[in-house]
């Protein structure tokens, strides 16, 4: 091209002028052409056709013009669009007749279609599309739009497996169909789902058409495509994407492209009700069996999960691969009809050959046999569903001829047609002669023989002889007979059952252990599967009872068939789903099996269920309902329920196993499963009553059993079993709701109760069952039911299985008898292991404590583990966890009661006895005490009371009541060694009295009997003796009786009991914390009177703690309307004022915060009545875990010389006082007394004039309280600090 450079340079000016001339409109002076209109400036062409075209184009596209103008600049667009809209409104709609007359429709279509390549393609290709072929393609629903996503965007679906091009033009049809749907969506957000399930090579579109699609709608310009979901990417799809790598380069790493392999993940973006995937795709989520231990053999072993569904199977590679720059799980899905061959080699190698052209796939799995059985079962189900096709596809092999013809002859012998009966008889004779069947003497071929229609006995006799003499024909004959039964009418079906029955026992010879034959055993399983499906299909027909009696009653007499039959039962039931009619039919069938051999059938079912439960230990889940084996276990529970009536479960031999199952599976699963467990217990006890003679039970025992049977219908038992909301447990067990039927797909466990509450129910159920067993064992000779039950529980309680291990532990505690230290150590070891992940194992911690509560009662009297368990309970109380607190409290109560019953506190004080047990671990306990802010070495009783105080505020009324019981127990045993009366008030039980004081009338009565606390009464007033001073308590003349009693409150604070400074401070802090967190007015009133006593008798302690409850006082004065409370506040404030005046010239008061820190009770200041995770630190959990582990290690090695660091027990510390300092509280009391004056002015409370002091009028109590100051005088210097600055917290 260099040769043209000189030419262009020489003519560049001329070329520029030519272009300028062509681009410039002629001036009006040069207009000479007819048809052009002259204007002031330029001229334009205005032909009539142009007017029509422009009018039609603007009219049809005015909405698009408006959107485009407004998108750029709304204000400017509005200004430009309004004149156009006005003009079009004036012109009106274009006349279509003029367009047709002038032949302008096609021209207009092309002008309208030039806006994008998409519209251009549709215009140019639409004329060549055959509409009938396009309609057929639409019916296939390869690509369609339906539903919306959670974002509100329309969703399109592309189902790849449905595209099977028979000719080249179908690719073009599909492309046109896709683009015609996208035309209406491309200008707004939309989403696309590409379903690659069962994609094969022939389903993939040609690359050239994909290239054309991406040219028309490039990925880089598809801004409105909000999301692209690729569902179930398989091996063929991965190869296709790799082949189109360059075309799809824009999709790599694109966040809009998401690969999904489950419907649950898809539901995160599209609501299930709006999802419109094909049913065949969704059916893969209804998995019958899942095999997770398989590995695919290729160049290396690849872990693979294989799912077998009712009519399909999936192979999911566990290792993710890279597809379009993302990590993707490969999911190969196959319909069961694509399975060409499946065999097992070497016991654990499965070979699969499919029809998609892939090479034979090999997998290794320990469950290869079960996997093969599941695939064969699914294939058999599919064959049976192909009505009219099975016979056409069946290939008759030479070995099948005798069985096929024999079934044909016997079946047609029952025909109503005499000629057909004769022909069938002669066929039977021919078969006998040709195949040398050993019934020749019974048959003779002849013409003209008259065979009656009622020849059932003859047919049955012949069939029985053949079954006995020719058992090798069993498999082929039964397969053909089942097929004949399905295609026969009612009368022939009955005949078919009659001649099938004699052959069924012969199935056992093909699965005998002496002559194992995998192929023939597989045929036996297929026959049994067909019989099961036949039974399910006939459930609603009149043949159902006959099938149960002739088929399953006969099979039940063959023990060798029971094991494979139960496996098939479970697989078939799981295929139908928990709660389905199929499960109930198979459960009925199990009853038919047990009719002939109940002991064998029942033991097989029970052992199968226990084995299944044991397998859950291998891969435990948090909830049993989430486990893959849950459905099979629930199905077996349904089997047990059906067998349990009329003692088909053989209660004599299986009672321990049944009760073990009940304790493990109660309150689990949907309502009908819970009701099934409840019904199982009812039926078992009913069987005990009806078999009383066989068990040699006395009349009194039978009456007691009947009482227990009637108790099971009470509401509390329904609550224990988790069926409190049902009216009838029997109806709930046999009528599962819709939600119960769908629980398998949902796999989300229902949780109406907390796990901790369920443990309490299990404890109650176990106790009830244990009492039932004891009733029977008392009358029976050499009965080992309890021993067997304990052995079963013992094997389950130490396996890591979150849903079942806590239940086993609780049950073991109920069954505990004469336990030793080894059991305690094993339980403590489990407790240590559960604290490694405390937040996840709270239920297990509670279960161990509940078990120890029962075990401690049956330990030997001289066991040194009993006091150790007290400290274990104390440690768990310090965790501050709500559920664990209740269990720890129960363990503490049981431990103290046991020690008291054993005489441990007769000669030793409670403190010396229990503190001595922790000497060896003192160093660890001291660490824990410092962390939690209490000190047992400073004061055992106040430390324990500080822990128990939290139980008074527990949300559960039962726990709060138990806390009161423990406090009463500590009161009663604290003075035993001093030879005091049971309820005498002494220094050791004073902290427990303090906690009981506001709640229990009995404790206040006992306190009134303490020397120095006598109450004197007068006509208009009562006075209390405060040892050194007397403070009058005034009572108005019209006071009701209950208020008079409160004015006679006993003296809790007594220097003769609380003798030292430490106990006085701790007592005051207990009362203050109770006051701050108590909401009951009566209790608050009692506490205020007690604090009034403290203001007079324990001045220093009171003044140090007063600022803690100032806000409580203000709240009472501002909000209460109770005269009694106001009177209590009055007395407390007056006593405080008097006490502060007496202290003005005495010793200075202490800093309460520093003092409690020094004596180790900082936690008492920071007391919180709530139970939450914030109140528990990880350090506390770790310290407790190490401490208990230390206890286990020391007691397991009694001769261990390992030194244990201990901390010496210290006494209460004397905190040095500040010289020449005093606390003036009158300025703080003044506004509160002002509040009281305001209340009195309302007439609610009357105060005698002689006690009314001159106080400044109260203007705003809260502001006065906040601004009130505390004066400290130190060496003559006065500093003023606000009340907020000395807040102890």
């Amino acid at each position: 091209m260099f040769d043209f450079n000189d030419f262009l340079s020489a003519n560049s000016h001329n070329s520029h002028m030519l272009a300028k001339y062509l681009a410039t409109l002629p001036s009006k002076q040069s207009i000479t052409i007819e048809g052009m209109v002259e204007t002031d400036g330029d001229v334009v062409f205005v032909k009539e056709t142009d007017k029509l075209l422009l009018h039609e184009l603007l009219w049809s596209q005015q909405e698009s013009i408006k959107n485009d103008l407004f998108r750029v600049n709304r204000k400017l667009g509005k200004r430009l669009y309004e004149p156009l809209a006005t003009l079009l409104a004036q012109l009106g709609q274009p006349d279509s007749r003029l367009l047709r007359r002038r032949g302008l429709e096609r021209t207009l279509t092309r002008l309208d279609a030039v806006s994008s390549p998409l519209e251009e393609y549709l215009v140019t290709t639409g004329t060549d599309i055959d509409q009938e072929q396009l309609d057929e393609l639409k019916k296939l629903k390869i690509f369609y739009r339906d539903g919306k996503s959670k974002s509100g965007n329309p969703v399109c679906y592309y189902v790849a497996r449905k595209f099977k091009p028979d000719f080249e033009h179908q690719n073009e049809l599909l492309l046109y169909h896709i683009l015609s749907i996208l035309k209406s969506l491309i200008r707004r957000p939309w989403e696309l789902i590409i379903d690659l399930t069962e994609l094969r090579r022939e389903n993939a579109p040609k690359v050239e058409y994909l290239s054309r699609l991406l040219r028309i709608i490039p990925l880089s310009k598809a801004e409105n495509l909000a999301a692209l979901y690729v569902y179930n990417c398989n091996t063929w799809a991965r190869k296709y994407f790799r082949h189109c790598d360059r075309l799809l380069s824009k999709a790599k790493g694109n966040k809009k492209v998401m690969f999904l392999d489950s419907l649950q993940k898809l539901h995160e973006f599209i609501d299930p009700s709006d999802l419109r995937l094909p049913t065949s795709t969704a059916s893969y989520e209804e998995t019958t069996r899942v095999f997770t231990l398989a590995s695919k053999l290729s160049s290396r072993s690849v872990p693979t999960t294989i799912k077998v569904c009712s009519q399909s199977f999936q192979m999911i590679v566990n290792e993710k691969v890279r597809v379009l720059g993302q990590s993707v799980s490969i999911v190969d899905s196959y319909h069961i009809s694509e399975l060409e061959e499946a065999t097992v080699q070497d016991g654990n190698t499965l070979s699969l050959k499919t029809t998609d052209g892939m090479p034979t796939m090999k997998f290794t799995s320990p469950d290869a046999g079960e996997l093969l059985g599941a695939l064969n079962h699914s294939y058999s189900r599919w064959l049976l569903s192909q009505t009219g096709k099975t016979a056409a596809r069946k290939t008759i092999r030479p070995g099948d001829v005798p069985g096929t013809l024999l079934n044909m002859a016997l079946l047609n012998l029952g025909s109503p047609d005499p000629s057909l009966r004769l022909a069938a008889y002669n066929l039977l004779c021919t078969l006998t002669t040709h195949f040398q069947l050993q019934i020749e003497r019974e048959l003779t071929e002849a013409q003209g023989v008259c065979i009656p229609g009622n020849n059932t006995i003859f047919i049955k006799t012949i069939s029985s002889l053949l079954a006995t003499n020719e058992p090798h024909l069993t498999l082929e004959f039964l397969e053909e007979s089942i097929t004949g039964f399905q295609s026969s009418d009612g009368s022939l079906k009955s005949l078919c059952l009659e001649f099938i029955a004699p052959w069924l026992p012969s199935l056992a010879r093909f699965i005998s252990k002496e002559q194992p034959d995998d192929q023939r055993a597989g045929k036996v399983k297929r026959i049994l599967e067909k019989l099961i499906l036949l039974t399910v299909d006939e459930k609603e027909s009149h043949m159902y009872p006959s099938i149960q009696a002739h088929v399953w009653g006969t099979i039940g007499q063959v023990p060798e068939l029971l094991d494979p039959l139960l496996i098939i039962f479970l697989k078939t039931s799981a295929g139908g789903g928990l709660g389905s009619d199929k499960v109930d039919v198979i459960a009925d069938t199990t009853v038919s099996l047990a009719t002939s051999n109940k002991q064998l059938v029942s033991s097989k079912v029970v052992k199968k269920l226990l084995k299944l439960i044991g397998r859950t230990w291998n891969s435990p889940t948090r909830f049993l309902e989430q486990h893959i084996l849950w459905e099979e276990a629930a199905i077996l529970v349904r089997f047990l329920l059906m067998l349990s009536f009329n003692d088909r479960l053989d209660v004599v031999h299986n009672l321990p196993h049944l009760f073990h199952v009940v304790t493990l599976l109660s309150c689990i699963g949907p309502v009908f499963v819970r009701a099934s467990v409840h019904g199982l217990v009812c039926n078992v006890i009913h069987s005990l009553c009806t078999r009383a003679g066989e068990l040699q039970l006395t009349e009194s025992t039978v009456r007691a059993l009947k009482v227990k049977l009637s108790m099971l219908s009470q509401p509390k038992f329904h609550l224990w079993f988790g069926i409190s909301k049902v009216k009838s447990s029997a109806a709930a067990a046999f009528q599962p709701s819709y939600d119960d039927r769908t629980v398998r797909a949902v796999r989300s466990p229902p949780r109406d109760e907390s796990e901790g509450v369920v443990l309490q129910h299990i404890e109650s159920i176990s106790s009830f069952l244990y009492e039932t067993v004891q009733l029977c064992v008392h009358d029976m000779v050499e009965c080992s039911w309890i021993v067997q039950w304990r052995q079963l529980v013992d094997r389950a309680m130490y396996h890591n299985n979150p849903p079942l291990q806590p239940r086993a532990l609780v049950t073991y505690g109920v069954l505990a008898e004469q336990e030793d230290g080894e059991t305690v150590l094993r339980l403590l070891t489990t407790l240590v292991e559960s604290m490694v992940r405390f937040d996840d194992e709270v239920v297990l911690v509670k279960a161990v404590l509940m078990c120890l509560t029962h075990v401690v009662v049956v330990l030997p009297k001289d066991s040194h583990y009993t006091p150790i368990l007290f400290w274990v309970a104390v440690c768990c109380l310090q965790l501050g966890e709500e559920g664990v607190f209740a269990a720890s409290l129960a363990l503490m109560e049981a431990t103290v009661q046991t020690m008291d019953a054993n005489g441990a506190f007769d000669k030793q004080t409670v403190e010396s006895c229990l503190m001595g047990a922790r000497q060896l671990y003192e160093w660890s306990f001291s660490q824990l005490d410092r962390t939690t802010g209490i000190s047992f070495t400073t004061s055992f009783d106040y430390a324990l009371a500080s822990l128990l105080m939290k139980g008074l505020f527990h949300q559960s009324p039962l726990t709060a009541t138990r806390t009161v019981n423990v406090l009463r127990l500590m009161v009663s045993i604290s003075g035993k060694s001093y030879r005091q009366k049971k309820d005498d008030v002494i220094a050791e039980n004073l902290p427990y009295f303090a906690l009981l004081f506001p709640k229990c009338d009995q404790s206040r009565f006992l306190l009134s009997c303490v020397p120095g606390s006598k109450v004197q009464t007068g006509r208009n007033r009562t006075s209390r003796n405060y040892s050194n001073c007397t403070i009058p308590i005034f009572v108005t003349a019209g006071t009701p009786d209950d208020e008079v009693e409160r004015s006679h409150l006993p003296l809790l604070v007594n220097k003769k009991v609380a003798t030292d400074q430490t106990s006085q401070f701790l007592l005051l802090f207990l009362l203050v914390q109770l006051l701050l967190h108590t909401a009951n007015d009566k209790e608050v009133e009692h506490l205020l009177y007690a604090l009034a006593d403290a203001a007079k008798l324990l001045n220093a302690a009171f003044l140090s703690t007063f600022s803690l409850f100032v806000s409580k006082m203000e709240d009472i004065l501002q909000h209460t309307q109770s005269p009694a409370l106001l009177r209590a506040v009055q007395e407390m404030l007056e006593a405080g004022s008097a006490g502060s005046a007496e202290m003005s010239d005495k010793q200075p008061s202490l800093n309460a915060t520093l003092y409690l820190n020094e004596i180790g009770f900082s936690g008492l200041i920071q007391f919180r009545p709530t139970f939450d995770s914030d109140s528990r630190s990880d350090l506390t959990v770790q310290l407790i875990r190490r401490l208990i582990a230390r206890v286990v290690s020391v007691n397991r090695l009694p001769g261990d010389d390992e030194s244990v660091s201990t901390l010496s027990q210290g006494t209460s510390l004397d905190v040095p006082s500040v010289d020449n300092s005093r606390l003036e509280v009158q300025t703080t009391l003044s506004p509160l007394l002002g509040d009281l004056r305001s209340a009195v002015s309302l007439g609610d409370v009357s105060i005698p004039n002689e006690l009314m002091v001159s106080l400044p009028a109260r203007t705003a109590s809260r502001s006065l309280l906040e601004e009130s100051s505390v004066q400290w005088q130190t060496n003559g210097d006065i500093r003023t600090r606000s009340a907020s600055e000395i807040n102890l917290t």
Side-chain angles (χ1 to χ4, degrees), residues 93-256:
Q93 185 175 358
D95 190 351
S96 57
R97 292 176 299 175
L98 291 175
L99 294 174
R100 287 195 297 270
R101 191 181 307 160
R102 295 173 179 264
L104 299 177
E105 283 184 316
R106 188 171 183 85
T107 304
L108 182 63
T109 303
R110 290 181 178 178
L111 287 174
D112 186 38
V114 296
S115 59
S116 69
L118 169 61
E119 293 169 341
E120 181 180 1
Y121 172 82
L122 294 176
V123 170
T124 56
T125 310
T127 56
D128 301 326
I129 294 298
D130 188 338
Q131 192 61 39
E132 293 183 359
Q133 293 180 356
L134 183 61
D135 293 339
E136 291 296 327
L137 184 70
K138 291 179 180 179
K139 291 179 182 179
L140 295 177
K141 297 199 75 173
I142 301 172
F143 189 90
Y144 55 96
R145 171 193 171 185
D146 200 350
K148 293 183 178 181
S149 66
K150 290 184 177 181
S151 301
N153 302 326
V155 181
C156 293
Y157 297 81
Y158 177 75
V159 186
R161 65 177 177 277
K162 293 186 176 183
F163 180 60
K164 299 176 181 179
D166 297 328
F167 50 89
E168 183 68 20
H169 189 55
Q170 276 194 327
N171 288 278
E172 192 71 43
L173 273 177
L174 178 62
L175 182 60
Y176 180 86
H177 173 55
I178 292 174
L179 293 175
S180 61
I181 293 178
L182 294 182
K183 178 184 177 182
S184 59
L185 299 175
I186 202 168
R187 294 185 178 180
R188 56 175 173 167
W190 60 288
E191 299 178 16
L192 174 63
I193 297 177
I194 300 179
D195 180 13
L196 299 178
T197 307
E198 296 181 13
L199 175 69
R200 301 294 177 262
R201 178 182 297 177
E202 63 269 18
N203 304 128
K206 289 190 174 183
V207 178
E208 58 182 288
Y209 288 95
L210 176 63
S211 176
R212 290 177 61 185
L213 175 64
L214 295 179
R215 284 200 305 269
I216 296 172
I217 308 178
L219 288 176
S220 59
K221 294 185 179 180
E223 299 88 359
N224 291 328
L225 178 60
L228 173 61
Y229 309 105
V230 183
Y231 185 71
N232 279 351
C233 179
N234 62 3
T235 303
W236 286 113
R238 183 190 180 194
K239 292 181 178 180
Y240 185 83
F241 287 140
R242 189 182 301 169
H243 184 62
C244 304
D245 183 78
R246 184 172 297 178
L247 286 174
L248 302 174
S249 59
K250 298 294 183 180
K252 290 184 178 180
N254 195 325
K255 295 182 179 180
K256 294 182 180 180

Side-chain angles (χ1 to χ4, degrees), residues 762-904:
I762 297 300
E763 184 179 31
S764 302
I765 293 172
S766 301
S767 300
F768 175 81
L769 298 180
Y770 180 59
E771 293 169 2
T772 304
V773 175
Q774 281 186 319
L775 284 174
C776 300
V777 170
H778 184 268
D779 296 339
M780 299 172 65
V781 180
E782 297 182 356
C783 180
S784 59
W785 282 351
I786 296 179
V787 176
Q788 294 179 35
W789 190 4
R790 287 192 56 184
Q791 290 174 350
L792 292 169
V793 175
D794 186 73
R795 285 196 293 267
M797 63 187 289
Y798 296 114
H799 287 279
N800 179 25
N801 196 353
L804 300 183
Q805 186 181 8
R807 295 164 173 262
L809 286 165
V810 172
T811 305
Y812 186 87
V814 174
L815 302 179
E817 294 178 354
Q818 298 180 353
E819 298 296 333
D820 54 12
E822 184 62 28
T823 302
V824 175
L825 291 179
R826 292 170 67 188
L827 291 171
L828 291 180
T829 302
T830 305
L831 183 61
V832 172
E833 294 172 352
S834 64
M835 286 189 176
V836 175
R837 295 181 300 170
F838 180 77
D839 292 333
D840 298 330
E841 302 288 352
V842 172
V843 177
L844 183 57
V845 173
K846 181 177 179 180
V848 175
L849 295 175
M850 294 174 69
C851 183
L852 288 171
T853 302
H854 293 277
V855 169
V856 71
V857 180
V858 295
L859 287 175
K861 288 186 177 181
D862 57 348
S863 175
H864 69 282
Y865 289 102
T866 306
I868 290 177
L869 291 180
F870 171 85
W871 290 109
V872 170
V874 168
C875 291
C876 294
L877 283 177
Q878 290 173 284
L879 286 170
E881 205 284 328
E882 189 171 7
V884 175
F885 189 94
S888 306
L889 202 61
L891 175 59
M892 177 181 291
E893 183 181 20
T895 304
V896 175
Q897 287 177 342
T898 302
M899 295 180 68
D900 185 31
N902 295 339

Side-chain angles (χ1 to χ4, degrees), residues 350-424:
L350 176 69
S351 298
L352 295 180
K353 177 67 175 177
T354 56
T355 59
D356 64 340
M358 295 288 287
T360 300
M361 297 172 285
K362 292 189 177 182
F363 302 88
T364 60
S365 172
D367 302 325
E370 295 184 18
L371 177 55
L372 178 62
L375 291 171
N376 289 333
H377 168 64
S378 181
Y379 189 80
S380 300
R381 283 176 51 87
W382 174 76
L383 285 178
L384 291 176
S385 66
Q386 304 300 301
T387 55
K389 300 178 182 179
T390 305
R393 295 187 179 185
K394 180 176 177 60
T395 302
I396 300 179
R397 293 166 295 183
D400 299 337
V401 172
T404 302
L405 297 178
L406 181 60
N407 171 71
M408 187 184 302
L410 293 177
L411 189 62
N412 286 290
L413 275 172
S415 172
D417 186 355
S419 300
L420 185 56
R421 290 199 299 269
L422 178 60

Side-chain angles (χ1 to χ4, degrees), residues 594 596-604 648-650 653-654:
S596 304
N597 197 340
K598 74 173 184 179
Q599 183 174 350
L600 183 60
V601 173
S602 60
S603 64
K604 293 283 186 184
R648 290 288 188 271
L649 271 180
D650 191 21
H653 297 92
N654 294 317

Side-chain angles (χ1 to χ4, degrees), residues 902-923:
N902 295 339
F905 307 130
D906 292 343
K907 297 181 180 180
Q908 283 184 295
T909 63
V910 176
E911 179 178 357
S912 59
C913 182
L914 293 175
M915 290 296 290
R918 80 175 216 169
Q919 284 296 320
L920 192 58
Y921 324 101
E922 183 61 35
W923 184 79

